[in-house]
Amino acid sequence: MKAGETSLVKLMQGAIQFVVPIYQRTYSWSFKQCNQLWKDIIEITLKQHDQVHFIGSVVYIDMGTPVGRPQQLLLIDGQQRLTTLSLLLCALSRYIEDNKLEDKINPNKIKNYFLINSDETGMDKYKLILTEQDKDTFIHILNRTEKNVVNPSVQILKNFNRFLEIIQRCDETIETIYEGINRLMLVSVALDKSQDNPQLIFESMNSTGKDLSQADLIRNYILMGQPAHEQDMLYSTYWRPMEQGFGQQGYADYFDLFIRDFLTVHNNGKICKIGEVYEAFKTYHKSGVPNEQLLIDIFTYSKYYISMYFSKDTDKELSRLWGELRELDVNVSYPFLMSVYHDYDTNKISKDDFITVIKVTISYIVRRVICEIPTNSLNKTFATFYGKIKQENYITSVLAEYTVKDSYRAFPTDEEFKEKLIIKSIYNLRIKNYILEALENQNHKEPINITRDGYTVEHIMPQNPELKKEWQDMLGDNWKEVQKKYLHTLGNLTLTGYNSELSDSPFKVKQDIKGGFKDSHLKLNNVLSNLLKWDETEILDRVKVLGNQAVTIWEYPKVSLADIEEYSQKDKVDIIYSSIDHYQLMLPEIEEVYEKLDRKILSLDVGIRKEYKKYYIAYKVETNFTDIEIYKGRLKMWVNMDFDSVDDPKGLCKDVTNIGHGGNGNAELIIGPTSDLDAVMEIIKQSLRLQIE
């Protein structure tokens, strides 16, 4: 390794070509970072002429100089700042040419020093070759033909135009700007391709994960150590198509999330934090999956994710359902649905079965939203769902699993769903448009789209707290209570394209006005056109009708009691021991402590199960969250958490990491007759919350 300080002009001098490897991320500097670079350039010009400003490092591998070609330098780190400086120099030379300022600075001088190998042709002509996504746009900018780019690199084009604007508005002369650029300094680090490990160096420079996305690190990890021809093949066959499938912004925003879901699928439902995806991936890779097979798997599942998240499925019916799922914004369902998608894609299940799974999942989500069941447990619910499917009885087991869920995982029944629809403030839900649109479009051959068709949600009984006298008379003496109770509920909501015209007009006017209920072709308004009044009775009558309709749109799983009973046998554990009598006798005072603790734990949630294991008693929901071992004069307890994660202000826990012990987890507690059970329960609750959330 050779390192030293250098100026930009020295770095770029001669016939050289910095090549950004195909495994590197695309250009991603924002306006904020470009503005900071510009600020640095202007500030340095205000200082003494012998002062310089360091802007970071450039790390590269000298690949040698092929006969008759420029020196090839593989750019390992620094592509963002080198690309940004090149865009700035492009903009400066363009400004000089457009404003005929060649007498001040020769624009060809700028190009030949920093951008172009003037004696070369073809791709050898350019001193900087970017990744596939950015290369074409950058070269077109150099050639003043960027308007001809079919699918331009958005960030490259944005920042080039940004620099053009900055230079045009700048009070400094072009000589001053050029001087500032020439006073920028970098640390040049040249690696020996035969001795230095670029992957380790690259990782150490990006160990915080702040500059690179987790997906970028993964791509580099897979490709960097491969021979050049292997890199080209793997990138062009698998990774590049994924980038194109997500799109430039989609890749930046969602690819990390996809990789996390991919790992969840392939790690038996274990969910890693978004900032730890790269480390989790390396652990998974060490299982021995060959690089190409791993990329095939990622590429395959990326197609499922793209179809689902961006509603790009080639099948129209599936695409519509994915659109519904995205409106619900419950991305935690993706690991489960990607697994089912794979079974559909490999012909393990039919399209009808696949649609059944998607629809029941949508129903599960919608009913839970209406019934106000907290959603913080859904990621774990969906992450582990696929493992509960009986492959030999696929669809029945999916439906049965939904029906046997209880407590915070429960699938609300028809009765619960309809009852909640009566009083739920639908108008204040993010998905209100989705709900009303679905009710309107059921069995409709010409479905509407609220946004596309210009509809808005209309309150039949107006929102105005000072209702007109006609409304007060119609609603009765308790009109304020009726308005407060039912204003935002489903029974009082409809759709219209004439919201401003209807406003808070009397009910009769809303019926008869042009565009009113009698003039509407929407099914939601049919019943409203013939009513003589609108009061609490009519609101309740209407919501009952809509509730009956809703349970047919978002259906409860259709599965027989016999199938549920058969499926439930799957979850029964073959427990040898059936009572506490299996364990050694406790002293009376310890038995009393155990009974109190047992009652407190079981009262935390109706979904908690207790199992008598050989050496300890397990308390579990999805899996054990706490275990208790019985001794004559004490209880030994473990909570299923890492010791460092436990909030233990009273110091009750002992770290048993890497120490042989019973139970699950690395935090151990000893409980005696005088132990503070309330403090113990606070620790147990942490473990339960961790499992649920």
Side-chain angles (χ1 to χ4, degrees), residues 289-441:
V289 183
N291 276 2
E292 184 169 7
Q293 184 56 54
L294 184 54
L295 277 175
I296 290 172
D297 290 343
I298 295 173
F299 177 55
T300 298
Y301 278 82
S302 76
K303 290 189 291 185
Y304 305 152
Y305 192 95
I306 291 167
S307 291
M308 292 161 58
Y309 192 84
F310 299 102
S311 303
K312 288 185 177 180
D313 209 298
T314 53
D315 184 289
K316 290 185 178 180
E317 190 170 9
L318 290 177
S319 185
R320 179 183 61 78
L321 290 171
W322 299 137
E324 287 189 38
L325 193 68
R326 183 169 183 179
E327 282 193 69
L328 297 173
D329 194 26
V330 188
N331 299 348
V332 293
S333 64
Y334 285 6
F336 167 58
L337 291 172
M338 282 198 299
S339 296
V340 181
Y341 204 143
H342 185 64
D343 289 341
Y344 164 63
D345 191 37
T346 53
N347 299 314
K348 291 182 181 178
I349 61 173
S350 67
K351 177 184 170 182
D352 287 343
D353 286 344
F354 187 30
I355 287 174
T356 296
V357 175
I358 301 170
K359 284 184 174 180
V360 74
T361 301
I362 290 173
S363 296
Y364 179 63
I365 294 166
V366 171
R367 287 186 180 223
R368 286 171 59 87
V369 170
I370 299 300
C371 293
E372 300 175 356
I373 302 175
T375 60
N376 54 2
S377 66
L378 282 180
N379 59 347
K380 191 68 175 287
T381 298
F382 283 120
T384 58
F385 199 132
Y386 185 76
K388 299 176 181 180
I389 296 176
K390 283 184 175 180
Q391 296 296 318
E392 71 277 7
N393 199 8
Y394 202 104
I395 295 304
T396 298
S397 66
V398 171
L399 300 178
E401 172 60 25
Y402 269 126
T403 61
V404 300
K405 291 184 180 301
D406 54 17
S407 181
Y408 63 88
R409 301 168 299 179
F411 198 125
T413 64
D414 287 354
E415 290 70 25
E416 292 168 333
F417 187 38
K418 288 191 289 186
E419 184 178 341
K420 201 66 179 180
L421 279 172
I422 295 173
I423 57 172
K424 177 70 176 177
S425 180
I426 300 296
Y427 184 74
N428 293 316
L429 287 181
R430 182 185 54 79
I431 62 170
K432 66 175 181 292
N433 282 9
Y434 166 74
I435 291 171
L436 289 166
E437 193 174 280
L439 290 166
E440 172 64 30
N441 287 336

Side-chain angles (χ1 to χ4, degrees), residues 469-476 507 532-535:
K469 187 174 186 304
E470 292 93 331
W471 274 110
Q472 293 182 26
D473 292 342
M474 183 174 287
L475 293 172
F507 183 62
L532 299 176
K533 60 183 176 65
W534 188 253
D535 57 14

Side-chain angles (χ1 to χ4, degrees), residues 417-636:
F417 187 38
K418 288 191 289 186
E419 184 178 341
K420 201 66 179 180
L421 279 172
I422 295 173
I423 57 172
K424 177 70 176 177
S425 180
I426 300 296
Y427 184 74
N428 293 316
L429 287 181
R430 182 185 54 79
I431 62 170
K432 66 175 181 292
N433 282 9
Y434 166 74
I435 291 171
L436 289 166
E437 193 174 280
L439 290 166
E440 172 64 30
N441 287 336
Q442 188 183 28
N443 301 322
H444 206 306
K445 291 185 178 181
E446 297 178 328
I448 67 159
N449 179 286
I450 290 179
T451 303
R452 180 197 65 206
D453 298 332
Y455 292 109
T456 57
V457 178
E458 164 73 5
H459 289 81
I460 303 167
M461 170 179 56
Q463 297 187 74
N464 191 336
E466 298 299 327
L467 286 177
K468 294 180 178 178
K469 187 174 186 304
E470 292 93 331
W471 274 110
Q472 293 182 26
D473 292 342
M474 183 174 287
L475 293 172
D477 293 339
N478 64 336
W479 65 269
K480 286 188 177 181
E481 289 76 15
V482 173
Q483 186 189 41
K484 181 179 180 181
K485 185 174 182 179
Y486 297 108
L487 178 63
H488 297 314
T489 62
L490 181 61
N492 190 53
L493 301 178
T494 191
L495 296 173
T496 182
Y498 296 84
N499 197 291
S500 59
E501 288 85 348
L502 299 181
S503 187
D504 59 353
S505 301
F507 183 62
K508 180 65 173 171
V509 174
K510 287 191 174 190
Q511 286 178 311
D512 296 337
I513 193 174
K514 178 178 173 54
F517 303 142
K518 290 183 178 180
D519 192 33
S520 174
H521 69 274
L522 298 179
K523 293 191 300 181
L524 281 172
N525 294 328
N526 285 350
V527 70
L528 301 175
S529 62
N530 298 316
L531 295 175
L532 299 176
K533 60 183 176 65
W534 188 253
D535 57 14
E536 182 175 14
T537 300
E538 300 297 346
I539 292 172
L540 290 174
D541 286 346
R542 182 168 181 263
V543 79
K544 288 174 184 175
V545 173
L546 294 177
N548 288 331
Q549 185 182 347
V551 297
T552 65
I553 297 174
W554 300 287
E555 289 186 314
Y556 192 78
K558 293 180 178 179
V559 58
S560 70
L561 291 175
D563 285 333
I564 294 172
E565 180 63 27
E566 181 183 351
Y567 172 78
S568 298
Q569 300 299 318
K570 178 176 82 79
D571 284 339
K572 289 188 177 179
V573 181
D574 184 15
I575 305 170
I576 301 173
Y577 312 104
S578 59
S579 74
I580 200 170
D581 295 337
H582 158 70
Y583 308 102
Q584 61 178 292
L585 290 174
M586 294 176 279
L587 293 173
E589 56 268 30
I590 294 299
E591 186 173 3
E592 182 180 354
V593 170
Y594 168 74
E595 289 175 353
K596 286 182 180 179
L597 195 58
D598 179 65
R599 287 195 299 271
K600 287 177 179 288
I601 294 173
L602 292 175
S603 67
L604 292 176
D605 194 283
V606 296
I608 294 173
R609 307 192 309 276
K610 178 169 65 173
E611 294 178 357
Y612 296 104
K613 302 294 187 181
K614 185 174 182 179
Y615 297 110
Y616 57 83
I617 302 168
Y619 296 84
K620 60 170 54 181
V621 182
E622 294 289 350
T623 186
N624 301 24
F625 63 89
T626 192
D627 303 314
I628 298 176
E629 189 170 355
I630 303 292
Y631 290 88
K632 182 178 180 180
R634 63 193 172 103
L635 304 174
K636 185 181 286 188

